[in-house]
Amino acid sequence: MSVDKYRDIINLPHHQSEVHPRMSMSSRAAQFSPFAALTGYEGVIQETGRLTDSKIQLADDERLTLDKTLSKILERSAIETVKLTVVYFSKDSRKEGGEYRTVSSTLKKVDQYQRLLVLGNGESIPLDDIVQLSEDSEV
């Protein structure tokens, strides 16, 4: 029988190399993991599934109310520091759509030429992307 062939070595201790370190279990398991033929594919699938919002177009009366609020804020900012809370649409850099963000900061200035609301935290928000604007006089 074949067992008789190995009778002299069957009870010997397992060989340990003196030159090569023992391989960790995670490294040993990695040898048998499936081959990733499409590297980056998982990331593409996740990006495709990521949801974005559509930009809301404000009605004329809502835009007019927003403009009046901004005018009042500009008048007050000439006298005192004004703290704002702004809700605006931020376009996504990778796909169509974007997200609505809310930021609170002091007003630094309004750039009429570039149509930007510049805040004290350094953020610049396009006036056309603002959907809600409120002020808080307590700074």
Side-chain angles (χ1 to χ4, degrees):
M1 284 212 178
S2 63
V3 174
D4 291 335
K5 257 167 88 172
Y6 301 105
R7 186 174 301 271
D8 60 333
I9 64 169
I10 200 138
N11 291 323
L12 291 177
H14 181 72
H15 172 70
Q16 296 288 337
S17 173
E18 294 175 9
V19 179
H20 302 288
R22 187 174 178 101
M23 186 180 286
S24 70
M25 292 300 262
S26 61
S27 296
R28 186 178 302 275
Q31 293 180 23
F32 302 102
S33 66
F35 175 68
L38 301 173
T39 55
Y41 181 70
E42 187 68 30
V44 171
I45 294 297
Q46 287 178 350
E47 177 63 24
T48 303
R50 186 172 57 88
L51 298 176
T52 57
D53 293 324
S54 300
K55 185 176 180 182
I56 298 171
Q57 295 300 323
L58 296 178
D60 290 340
D61 60 331
E62 292 171 319
R63 178 58 58 193
L64 187 61
T65 303
L66 195 60
D67 288 342
K68 286 180 182 178
T69 303
L70 183 59
S71 294
K72 288 179 186 177
I73 290 171
L74 284 174
E75 287 175 19
R76 285 194 51 189
S77 69
I79 302 168
E80 62 184 290
T81 302
V82 179
K83 184 173 181 182
L84 303 175
T85 299
V86 184
V87 179
Y88 68 100
F89 182 78
S90 177
K91 186 170 172 19
D92 194 299
S93 61
R94 295 185 185 158
K95 61 194 294 187
E96 189 173 328
E99 67 178 339
Y100 284 91
R101 295 183 179 170
T102 303
V103 64
S104 293
S105 183
T106 56
L107 175 65
K108 186 173 182 180
K109 69 175 183 173
V110 175
D111 186 338
Q112 296 287 352
Y113 180 71
Q114 292 184 342
R115 298 199 39 80
L116 293 174
L117 185 71
V118 182
L119 301 178
N121 65 2
E123 196 167 350
S124 296
I125 303 170
L127 292 175
D128 295 331
D129 292 342
I130 297 173
V131 293
Q132 189 176 4
L133 182 64
S134 60
E135 66 175 302
D136 180 9
S137 60
E138 299 174 17
V139 180

